[in-house]
Amino acid sequence: MIAYLADSRTFFLQGPRSSYVLAITRHGHLQHLHWGARVQPGALDGIAPLIDRAFSPNPLAAGHGYSLDTLGQECPTGGLTDFRSPAVLVEHPDGTQALELVYESHAIAAGKPKLAGLPATYVEAAGEADTLSIVLADRASGVRVELSYTQFRDHDAVSRSLRIVNAGDAPRCVLRALSASLDLPPGERSLMTLNGAWARERHVDLTPLRPGTQGVGSRRGTSSHQHNPFIAVVDAGTTEEHGEARGLALAYSGCFLAQAEVDQFAEARVQIGLDAPAFRWRLAPGAAFQAPEALLVWSGDGLGGMSRTFHRLLRTRMARGRYRDAQRPILINNWEATYFNFDTEKLVAIAAKAKEIGVEMMVLDDGWFGARKDDKAGLGDWVCNEAKLPGGLKALADRIEGLGMRFGLWFEPEMVNPDSDLYRAHPDWCLHIPGRDRSTGRSQLVLDLARPEVADHVYRSITAVLRSARISYVKWDMNRHLTEVASPAFPAGEVHHRYVLALYAMLERITAEFPDVLFESCSGGGGRFDAGLLHYMPQVWTSDNSDAICRLDIQHGTSMAYPLSSMGAHVSACPNHQVHRTTPMLTRGHVAFTGAFGFELDLNKLSPEDLATARAVVAEYNRVRDLLAGGDLYRLRAPADRRAASWMVVAPDRSRALVTWVSIVAEANAPFPVLRLRGLDPSARYRVDGEVVGGDVLMSIGLRPRIGHDFTSRTWHLERV
Ligand code: DGJ
């Protein structure tokens, strides 16, 4: 998978159809040469000529014709002859930030080592991947940067990370450590980002790259609703199924930067990595800083090909634990059914009705603990409120289990309300700046998880509850962003990242201790939907917006990088609570069962017709749940024109497929669209709607769906005959 040509000092990372090529220049800098379609390893001299350019300074030893300002690089720094965005910045004792990183050594080994304390992709056998480590060193300071590249055998994907070591004899500070940086040659391209807000997450934006810097990031302490730690650089003319796309995703759940900088010669520097406000990480002599992992996916099969590679990788080699492969339960969550207004009988009635239509798990959401009668009090006091739930969680869980269902529970472990016993006992346990007021968000403060005594308390409270009853699922919520980010335990410039590391450490501990519990992450819906958290929790509540039509955009955008199995999606009541829209039960079902499927309403309140449809939706889902969980997604029609959206999921062996069509807003006397299917075996014949049709016909002539009334949907089940 990784070849090294010693003569030209060039590394070829070879995926099934892609190559990632880098070389050591004659002056020892690490040059980026190619990330694209597969090329045979061979000399590439003269491919990227170094030409002298006016106003581009030259390192003294190199002289004319060689400048970092014009060299395509893999690990650019600042302060010397490159004026573009650096990937690594280290502050020396004299306040300067110059680093000249030159090649020192490299090693290639089978497999993929773990990333200490951070989420990362993994292999189950050494033959699945090769890892290249390259050590670069700055002779003047002793700082070393160890770059790590893993090429996966079965995926056109490379994972990258870096570690900065202070091998000098004075303390230094890391100011920037971006996980991936590379310089693409000139080309007509666009930048894809996933943006939005609470209840409107991950809408796709595709904007042509122009000179200067374009990008997104989060300064909120989480990966955020506003921008996702994923970008793609998309060639002009690339469609869903054709053309080149290069995606970068960061396996990290805190502040980040993801950007493209088009320079004076139209080269695009693409970067992704951790980047927190005032980030400043002390490095004592001998100490090291490990940056998170970035995943780089190349596709020659358009955006769809890029997404399918991300999906397979994240689903099978980022997610872990029993529920990576095990069937996820169909759940019913009481949040939109009751909000805080529930008691045991109400919950059991909701569960019992859900059980009748085939739902398998009842999840009790917010409000079961402490003095939590609304969202103003109680966070931090993880003790069941027995006035609401006599006999506690055990009694309720037993009743639910008695119905033949499993029981799940909501927590918000990272938070505390000022109106709570925990805060009254430990007012200094939250992030705060002494002498300044503490800003609240949803009436709550953020616990300083980086302090061991705080993390231990949270761990003990949560695990005590998990041991107290038969709890099979946890919804791990997080409902505000970080402000006054300071801690007595660490210098302010470290606290953002320390928080995320402490969260990962806690999740590692709890998920290892409760391997049979299914964990779903949540942050006011999809405010922390990133590749990193999928390492601990294989599914995420995608958005607090449960309207089926809004979900078309949200799930479409999310699917650019993240697998369907990771997207929590529920059928909720109508009129919808977020946008007051009324949509048919069938459409709500078809949209929700495309993700990690559940319900979030009181089925006792449905009309007999809607209840029958809900039952039919569950039955339809049961026919295809394995296909949806492990199949390949093809986006057939984006919701962008507001007329319709369509997608299909194809089994890996192409023996089955499910096609879904949702009409959005109808047009009078509209033409019948053509729906060309994808991913089928062209030489096979498929049974669809009682007919037997060739895969070639379905893919080249296609189906001719009728655009239905507003918000209606239909599906086609295909089976190879
Ligand atoms: C925000 C979540 O996204 C909702 O689903 C719900 O769990 C509420 N928090 C409860 O406070």
Side-chain angles (χ1 to χ4, degrees):
M1 289 157 256
I2 301 185
Y4 176 60
L5 302 192
D7 288 352
S8 56
R9 300 209 291 180
T10 309
F11 302 94
F12 286 81
L13 281 59
Q14 304 288 74
R17 296 178 57 197
S18 62
S19 293
Y20 190 106
V21 187
L22 48 151
I24 305 156
T25 69
R26 62 181 185 274
H27 296 292
H29 302 114
L30 196 58
Q31 182 179 14
H32 175 81
L33 281 175
H34 174 66
W35 179 28
R38 189 172 161 120
V39 295
Q40 286 310 312
L44 291 177
D45 296 345
I47 291 291
L50 299 169
I51 298 166
D52 209 12
R53 299 284 195 168
F55 276 82
S56 287
N58 318 108
L60 188 62
H64 286 306
Y66 187 99
S67 174
L68 296 176
D69 194 26
T70 55
L71 186 75
Q73 291 172 74
E74 283 286 313
C75 188
T77 59
L80 296 172
T81 64
D82 187 350
F83 300 96
R84 295 167 290 174
S85 170
V88 172
L89 277 181
V90 171
E91 188 186 81
H92 304 295
D94 62 2
T96 61
Q97 298 175 3
L99 274 186
E100 181 167 23
L101 294 176
V102 295
Y103 172 83
E104 200 174 85
S105 64
H106 78 268
I108 299 171
K112 182 174 192 291
K114 285 193 167 158
L115 223 53
L118 285 162
T121 47
Y122 57 90
V123 293
E124 291 191 332
E128 287 181 18
D130 278 348
T131 296
L132 163 67
S133 317
I134 302 177
V135 179
L136 306 175
D138 176 44
R139 290 192 190 103
S141 67
V143 170
R144 291 149 54 103
V145 176
E146 300 169 4
L147 297 168
S148 164
Y149 298 82
T150 296
Q151 171 67 58
F152 294 88
R153 182 190 58 203
D154 302 331
H155 308 285
D156 287 307
V158 171
S159 73
R160 284 188 62 174
S161 63
L162 60 82
R163 190 166 169 266
I164 302 174
V165 183
N166 181 7
D169 49 18
R172 296 185 155 75
C173 284
V174 178
L175 303 182
R176 183 181 265 199
L178 300 183
S179 303
S181 179
L182 56 101
D183 295 324
L184 294 174
E188 214 183 309
R189 302 195 177 92
S190 293
L191 182 69
M192 175 184 282
T193 52
L194 306 178
N195 313 296
W198 173 79
R200 188 164 48 76
E201 297 90 338
R202 289 174 299 288
H203 284 48
V204 174
D205 181 74
L206 195 62
T207 304
L209 280 179
R210 48 171 169 66
T213 304
Q214 281 158 272
V216 292
S218 164
R219 301 170 65 80
R220 296 168 177 270
T222 67
S223 42
S224 91
H225 304 89
Q226 286 72 13
H227 303 290
N228 193 261
F230 160 83
I231 53 172
V233 180
V234 183
D235 282 11
T238 290
T239 63
E240 266 297 314
E241 301 303 331
H242 301 285
E244 292 188 57
R246 295 168 178 82
L248 294 89
L250 188 67
Y252 189 64
S253 312
C255 301
F256 73 93
L257 177 70
Q259 64 181 26
E261 178 185 8
V262 177
D263 72 8
Q264 54 184 335
F265 303 118
E267 313 253 339
R269 174 162 292 178
V270 185
Q271 301 182 309
I272 195 163
L274 174 174
D275 191 38
F279 179 73
R280 202 181 161 77
W281 194 274
R282 293 159 307 162
L283 271 193
F289 176 79
Q290 175 64 59
E293 174 166 291
L295 298 171
L296 281 61
V297 168
W298 176 83
S299 160
D301 293 327
L303 296 169
M306 174 193 73
S307 299
R308 288 186 287 277
T309 300
F310 271 117
H311 295 177
R312 281 187 223 116
L313 198 57
L314 293 176
R315 200 173 63 215
T316 65
R317 290 295 178 267
M318 177 62 84
R320 295 177 298 173
R322 179 171 161 223
Y323 281 99
R324 181 189 77 177
D325 305 321
Q327 190 167 284
R328 315 267 176 85
I330 307 172
L331 60 84
I332 184 152
N333 176 303
N334 74 304
W335 179 243
E336 286 196 19
T338 66
Y339 297 102
F340 292 102
N341 181 18
F342 60 81
D343 58 24
T344 301
E345 295 316 316
K346 212 175 194 176
L347 296 173
V348 171
I350 290 171
K353 198 69 184 173
K355 169 72 184 167
E356 279 177 24
I357 67 158
V359 173
E360 297 153 343
M361 177 184 280
M362 165 82 201
V363 175
L364 172 55
D365 210 278
D366 195 354
W368 55 267
F369 50 90
R372 187 79 167 164
K373 62 179 185 337
D374 54 28
D375 64 9
K376 300 200 169 32
L379 284 179
D381 300 338
W382 300 111
V383 176
C384 184
N385 176 348
E386 296 213 18
K388 255 180 172 173
L389 303 173
L393 291 172
K394 177 157 187 345
L396 177 62
D398 288 348
R399 293 267 309 264
I400 302 295
E401 291 252 339
L403 295 171
M405 299 173 87
R406 284 179 289 158
F407 177 68
L409 194 62
W410 178 98
F411 287 96
E412 192 172 355
E414 299 160 64
M415 299 290 157
V416 64
N417 285 118
D419 184 1
S420 67
D421 293 341
L422 179 66
Y423 190 78
R424 282 182 281 274
H426 299 284
D428 64 325
W429 274 12
C430 62
L431 294 176
H432 67 283
I433 302 175
R436 287 191 184 276
D437 286 347
R438 301 165 185 202
S439 313
T440 53
R442 207 193 189 204
S443 306
Q444 63 200 50
L445 297 159
V446 184
L447 287 170
D448 182 0
L449 289 191
R451 283 171 67 180
E453 65 275 31
V454 181
D456 274 352
H457 173 86
V458 173
Y459 166 81
R460 273 186 277 105
S461 324
I462 303 301
T463 52
V465 175
L466 292 181
R467 279 188 219 100
S468 72
R470 290 195 60 182
I471 296 168
S472 305
Y473 159 107
V474 166
K475 178 176 174 186
W476 185 294
D477 205 349
M478 197 278 189
N479 283 304
R480 63 158 292 182
H481 293 140
L482 277 54
T483 58
E484 292 91 33
V485 185
S487 163
F490 298 101
E494 295 183 11
V495 178
H496 265 293
H497 184 50
R498 295 271 181 199
Y499 181 89
V500 179
L501 292 178
L503 172 67
Y504 289 151
M506 170 129 46
L507 287 170
E508 185 73 40
R509 213 168 150 193
I510 296 183
T511 53
E513 197 169 327
F514 296 90
D516 293 329
V517 172
L518 169 61
F519 286 81
E520 174 158 346
S521 83
C522 174
S523 176
R528 211 163 47 178
F529 202 134
D530 55 69
L533 273 191
L534 293 180
H535 200 50
Y536 310 92
M537 311 193 247
Q539 61 189 57
V540 188
W541 178 226
T542 310
S543 177
D544 272 347
N545 190 335
S546 61
D547 170 65
I549 301 304
C550 293
R551 278 296 186 111
L552 296 176
D553 289 295
I554 296 170
Q555 294 177 195
H556 171 82
T558 305
S559 79
M560 286 297 155
Y562 305 101
L564 298 180
S565 59
S566 68
M567 292 184 214
H570 298 171
V571 170
S572 62
C574 280
N576 171 267
H577 293 193
Q578 293 80 40
V579 293
H580 303 280
R581 183 180 283 127
T582 294
T583 52
M585 174 57 76
L586 189 62
T587 305
R588 283 178 266 161
H590 285 155
V591 173
F593 79 38
T594 299
F597 180 38
F599 289 80
E600 190 157 332
L601 76 174
D602 186 347
L603 294 161
N604 293 297
K605 295 183 177 160
L606 291 187
S607 66
E609 296 74 32
D610 274 355
L611 190 62
T613 307
R615 190 191 305 271
V617 162
V618 171
E620 184 177 4
Y621 174 68
N622 280 329
R623 272 178 74 187
V624 288
R625 63 196 295 179
D626 57 326
L627 167 65
L628 288 166
D632 287 323
L633 173 72
Y634 291 80
R635 291 176 294 256
L636 302 179
R637 181 169 171 150
D641 70 357
R642 318 322 294 163
R643 292 278 173 238
S646 181
W647 60 89
M648 69 186 287
V649 180
V650 184
D653 66 1
R654 300 190 289 177
S655 62
R656 295 159 66 207
L658 175 75
V659 181
T660 306
W661 171 275
V662 179
S663 296
I664 305 179
V665 179
E667 190 185 15
N669 211 11
F672 294 126
V674 178
L675 193 59
R676 291 200 179 95
L677 306 191
R678 300 277 173 242
L680 301 174
D681 176 353
S683 59
R685 291 156 68 72
Y686 293 86
R687 187 175 307 283
V688 48
D689 273 357
E691 308 277 339
V692 175
V693 190
D696 52 354
V697 171
L698 291 165
M699 291 196 290
S700 52
I701 300 178
L703 300 169
R704 301 297 300 273
R706 248 169 226 270
I707 295 216
H709 297 151
D710 287 3
F711 315 138
T712 52
S713 70
R714 67 154 300 181
T715 50
W716 292 263
H717 293 254
L718 276 66
E719 277 180 36
R720 188 161 54 198
V721 291

